Amino acid sequence: VPVQQGREAVVSTQSTGTLAESRAKELFTDMPVIRLIPIPDRVAPTTGVYVCPVYKTLTRAGTLSTTGHSTNFVMPLELPSAQPQEHWIKRAVALICALDY
């Protein structure tokens, strides 16, 4: 899954396992495979994660469905981060399932 940042991409560093700033002028980068394991009655962490939106395509807008979510929106995903959530929100960081239309 490619990671998109407003102007430049964000990379997940292998050494720390957290989000990190990208190299200059890199718009997209591959995200390592993420294994989703459901845990019943899990308490969501309040720090140390960025709740990253996952979209189907680069166009973040879509038609609003009856649930109130965009049809392009897939789900929020908690990614480990040493930076506060606001840091990545200001950079418009998102995961994109398909770069091609």
Side-chain angles (χ1 to χ4, degrees):
V1 175
V3 179
Q4 181 191 18
Q5 182 174 329
R7 291 193 174 88
E8 297 174 1
V10 174
V11 296
S12 174
T13 60
Q14 296 285 333
S15 60
T16 63
T18 62
L19 290 178
E21 299 292 340
S22 66
R23 292 178 283 252
K25 299 185 181 185
E26 185 176 44
L27 296 178
F28 303 99
T29 187
D30 288 336
M31 183 72 175
V33 174
I34 299 170
R35 183 176 176 193
L36 301 176
I37 303 171
I39 300 173
D41 302 321
R42 177 182 163 270
V43 177
T46 57
T47 60
V49 296
Y50 167 54
V51 181
C52 184
V54 180
Y55 295 101
K56 294 176 187 174
T57 64
L58 281 171
T59 307
R60 296 183 187 201
T63 307
L64 285 181
S65 66
T66 55
T67 62
H69 291 288
S70 167
T71 54
N72 192 34
F73 178 77
V74 178
M75 67 181 194
L77 190 62
E78 294 173 359
L79 300 177
S81 173
Q83 300 291 335
Q85 178 127 322
E86 295 78 24
H87 179 84
W88 303 114
I89 291 172
K90 286 180 183 177
R91 287 159 176 74
V93 173
L95 290 172
I96 310 297
C97 294
L99 291 177
D100 297 330
Y101 303 157

